[in-house]
Amino acid sequence: MKICMIGTGYVGLVSGVCFSDLGNDVICVDNDIIKINNLKKGIIPIYEPGLEELVIKNYKNGRLKFSQNLKESINKSDIIFICVGTPTKKNSNAADLSQIFNVARKIRSSINKYKIIITKSTVPVTTGDKIEKILSLKKSKKLFSVVSNPEFLREGEAIRDFSYPDRVVIGTNDKKSNKVLKNLYSPLISKGAKYINTSRRAAELIKYASNAFLATKITFINEIANLCEKTNVNVEDISIGMGLDKRIGGRFLRAGPAYGGSCFPKDTRAITNTADRFKINLSLIKSVIKSNQNRTLLLLSRVSEILKGKIKNKKITFLGVTFKANTDDMRDSSSLTMIPSLLKKGAKIRYYDPTGEKKEFNRLNNLTFSNNIKAALINADLVIIHTEWNDFKSINFKKIVNKKNFIIYDMRNIYSASKMKKDRIKYFGVGR
Ligand code: NAD
């Protein structure tokens, strides 16, 4: 099939590459010229395990192309996926759909024959209706179908998630597009993915409801972890004990910092905003958002407690600053709040992240990036393990930190508390 992916970010690039790997002809389009030129040279704009090899392989065999020419790419394709960003609107909880509608208008001026136009971006329920309206302004309805096909991949596991999804959701009442898309996804369906055909609005809402539910699950265990800390209970026992119940399931039940990333924070806000517009109060999700915001403040006050209120001039090392491991994505990472707040209180901070230095911290004083774990740790008073990279799982802290009485605050519980005690290291975890 001939596919055009509009927006070559985390979702568009990964899905585009994977579709080409399944034997389709794919053109990935972006209006970021530098990104497109780099991709043509084999330079990948994001950190995603396994992506580089797959891009190079499919680019070389000619099934994957990169372009900034939207009109030409649309003309050459039968299936158009919209994968542009839907961030939070400034001073509002609503999703900013300007990139989506901008693309819809560009598609309108480009289509010459029948195309299936699919939103893979996460968009509020009824957005497909609005895209259809934009397209219908100048084009006959016979020239297009607007379908919703939300994407559920996770950064860091994106290729595996795309290739072995639990389900493929196709939102359309149009039999013709449903048939084409079922065919497109047939290699994944034959590997066990469930294929669900719903109304377009239902598909749009399935995505938000899923993300809101997962965010709730994380927030739930984070709150239980607070109770565990006060009652001398290990939250990991709770996670295992609860997770073994098939009705609950163990995933997304690990206590840690506030959830972050490019999806949960913005999507929980957007769904409550959408519901408000329909005069429905999603009070549970609103509480989750609030609890998650408080979580960062709570962990910060824990840092203060651990340092007995003496943060000034303390050397603090952050291991990992992205919102989770195996990604370079800094969007809504809790480190973006924690680091400036600790700096304000006089801490001197070093950080190491396997995905390199972060531009988000460029202008902060008393913050330095170390380009290896050793350099980051030496002489630290407090080590904060902020993300759960494998690189951080077997560090000989005593040898590297080389200082008496240093403290570890393991926000991901990746070390054994009893082993730390045996090694006489002052160690704090989360919910235990
Ligand atoms: P991103 O910001 O990484 O990528 C979006 C890309 O679209 C950028 O490269 C941008 O330059 C490009 N773009 C914007 N306007 C354009 C235009 N007019 N023409 C061509 N290109 C244009 O975003 P992302 O993380 O890939 O997310 C995209 C969508 O997918 C969002 O709605 C997001 O919620 C959803 N989603 C993201 C993930 C994830 O893990 N990141 C997972 C599932 C769903």
Side-chain angles (χ1 to χ4, degrees):
M1 296 189 199
K2 294 192 186 321
I3 299 173
C4 170
M5 311 296 298
I6 306 178
T8 308
Y10 288 86
V11 164
L13 180 58
V14 170
S15 321
V17 172
C18 291
F19 278 135
S20 73
D21 205 51
L22 292 172
N24 302 287
D25 287 325
V26 179
I27 313 176
C28 287
V29 186
D30 207 287
N31 57 2
D32 182 338
I33 302 169
I34 299 170
K35 202 179 250 188
I36 291 299
N37 285 341
N38 279 340
L39 279 162
K40 285 179 181 170
K41 290 183 218 151
I43 302 167
I44 312 299
I46 53 170
Y47 175 87
E48 184 60 49
L51 185 60
E52 187 174 347
E53 297 88 308
L54 222 51
V55 168
I56 292 170
K57 175 186 150 196
N58 287 286
Y59 187 64
K60 275 191 180 157
N61 69 27
R63 281 202 301 260
L64 178 66
K65 293 196 170 65
F66 298 105
S67 171
Q68 65 200 69
N69 189 331
L70 190 67
K71 193 168 186 146
E72 189 185 274
S73 308
I74 288 174
N75 279 333
K76 286 184 182 165
S77 312
D78 303 315
I79 303 175
I80 321 289
F81 281 97
I82 303 176
C83 308
V84 296
T86 49
T88 306
K89 235 184 211 169
K90 254 196 181 148
N91 303 321
S92 158
N93 283 331
D96 176 352
L97 298 176
S98 56
Q99 293 181 42
I100 297 277
F101 295 143
N102 189 12
V103 164
R105 283 188 289 271
K106 286 188 174 153
I107 296 174
R108 182 178 64 197
S109 61
S110 305
I111 41 176
N112 47 0
K113 63 177 176 66
Y114 178 78
K115 313 272 175 199
I116 301 177
I117 293 145
I118 305 155
T119 43
K120 214 173 221 333
S121 298
T122 303
V123 291
V125 56
T126 70
T127 303
D129 305 7
K130 290 172 189 153
I131 295 173
E132 195 170 270
K133 211 167 171 187
I134 292 175
L135 293 171
S136 315
L137 275 179
K138 282 190 184 149
K139 298 285 175 191
S140 147
K141 278 196 175 166
K142 282 184 197 142
L143 270 183
F144 63 87
S145 299
V146 177
V147 176
S148 166
N149 169 217
E151 182 50 58
F152 299 98
L153 61 77
R154 287 164 300 168
E155 288 172 17
E157 315 265 352
I159 292 173
R160 206 207 72 87
D161 283 353
F162 184 90
S163 310
Y164 299 92
D166 293 332
R167 78 296 209 192
V168 172
V169 177
I170 299 295
T172 181
N173 295 327
D174 174 44
K175 284 194 181 126
K176 188 172 159 187
S177 355
N178 185 35
K179 202 172 157 195
V180 173
L181 290 171
K182 196 165 186 181
N183 197 12
L184 174 67
Y185 278 107
S186 60
L188 310 188
I189 299 165
S190 65
K191 282 190 293 189
K194 294 267 186 302
Y195 183 88
I196 316 168
N197 178 209
T198 64
S199 70
R200 187 168 62 206
R201 288 184 178 188
E204 291 169 337
L205 195 49
I206 283 170
K207 173 66 190 178
Y208 277 102
S210 302
N211 273 1
F213 188 80
L214 291 172
T216 304
K217 222 174 158 186
I218 295 172
T219 307
F220 179 88
I221 200 68
N222 279 344
E223 288 204 351
I224 296 293
N226 296 340
L227 180 59
C228 288
E229 281 175 18
K230 296 284 181 208
T231 51
N232 202 16
V233 169
N234 187 345
V235 72
E236 280 158 62
D237 290 340
I238 307 299
S239 299
I240 294 167
M242 281 178 70
L244 285 172
D245 184 330
K246 287 200 179 78
R247 293 169 301 177
I248 299 172
R251 292 168 76 188
F252 285 75
L253 268 189
R254 287 190 66 119
Y259 62 74
S262 64
C263 293
F264 291 172
K266 81 171 174 65
D267 293 347
T268 43
R269 291 170 71 186
I271 193 176
T272 57
N273 177 274
T274 305
D276 283 346
R277 281 195 288 115
F278 287 97
K279 302 210 169 6
I280 295 297
N281 182 17
L282 294 181
S283 62
L284 177 65
I285 304 172
K286 286 179 183 169
S287 305
V288 166
I289 297 169
K290 197 148 203 187
S291 171
N292 195 58
Q293 285 162 349
N294 288 340
R295 177 113 195 117
T296 302
L297 305 179
L298 198 111
L299 294 200
L300 273 169
S301 67
R302 185 99 170 103
V303 171
S304 178
E305 243 174 72
I306 288 170
L307 291 173
K308 304 204 162 65
K310 291 175 186 149
I311 295 175
K312 199 161 183 213
N313 290 326
K314 283 285 181 321
K315 290 183 187 133
I316 301 180
T317 297
F318 268 73
L319 290 181
V321 288
T322 55
F323 82 98
K324 66 170 185 178
N326 298 320
T327 182
D328 58 350
D329 202 340
M330 285 295 288
R331 287 177 281 186
D332 271 315
S333 172
S334 58
S335 71
L336 292 169
T337 310
M338 281 187 193
I339 288 181
S341 162
L342 292 169
L343 288 172
K344 237 186 198 167
K345 291 183 178 142
K348 294 188 166 38
I349 304 184
R350 274 173 294 172
Y351 74 97
Y352 168 74
D353 192 283
T355 58
E357 196 168 359
K358 300 297 167 198
K359 64 176 185 332
E360 288 78 359
F361 295 137
N362 275 355
R363 278 196 229 135
L364 298 179
N365 290 327
N366 290 322
L367 175 69
T368 47
F369 171 71
S370 305
N371 60 10
N372 62 71
I373 295 177
K374 229 172 171 178
L377 288 179
I378 198 153
N379 275 323
D381 295 305
L382 172 67
V383 178
I384 294 180
I385 303 175
H386 179 263
T387 52
E388 69 285 23
W389 285 85
N390 279 342
D391 313 42
F392 305 151
K393 288 183 179 164
S394 345
I395 298 174
N396 186 339
F397 287 100
K398 256 196 159 157
K399 198 169 157 198
I400 300 176
V401 178
N402 198 20
K403 184 177 199 172
K404 261 192 190 164
N405 296 328
F406 71 91
I407 307 169
I408 295 175
Y409 185 14
D410 180 0
M411 292 184 179
R412 299 287 179 170
N413 288 346
I414 60 182
Y415 284 89
S416 141
S418 55
K419 170 95 177 32
M420 285 286 173
K421 202 172 172 190
K422 234 192 235 161
D423 293 346
R424 297 185 180 191
I425 294 176
K426 261 196 190 167
Y427 171 87
F428 298 86
V430 168
R432 56 187 198 184

